[in-house]
Amino acid sequence: MASVVYRLIQESVTNSLRHGHADHVEVHLFSLDESDVIVIQDDGQGSDDFTEGYGLNQMRERVQAA
């Protein structure tokens, strides 16, 4: 499970920097009601219109397989 969390954070930070052009990225990990929670925030440009590409699909598959 640790490798899944690592890969999710890695892909999220990469997306923030590459696609969102973020200067700062914050990653928060915590447990809430017996669930693990990852919150990733950045100061990037954001988008109202995006499509799921390879990276987001891989993230979903990793979580489902865990």
Side-chain angles (χ1 to χ4, degrees):
M1 183 62 162
S3 64
V4 172
V5 171
Y6 174 80
R7 294 293 182 198
L8 291 174
I9 292 170
Q10 182 181 40
E11 183 65 29
S12 297
V13 170
T14 298
N15 286 347
S16 292
L17 298 174
R18 181 178 297 152
H19 302 295
H21 308 287
D23 290 321
H24 300 92
V25 180
E26 291 183 18
V27 178
H28 302 273
L29 303 166
F30 57 94
S31 294
L32 179 67
D33 298 329
E34 299 183 28
S35 295
D36 295 323
V37 178
I38 304 170
V39 176
I40 296 148
Q41 297 175 304
D42 65 51
D43 63 353
Q45 66 187 17
S47 176
D48 291 330
D49 182 36
F50 71 92
T51 58
E52 287 190 16
Y54 178 77
L56 291 176
N57 286 328
Q58 286 294 101
M59 291 170 71
R60 181 187 326 286
E61 290 176 9
R62 283 189 178 109
V63 170
Q64 290 173 343

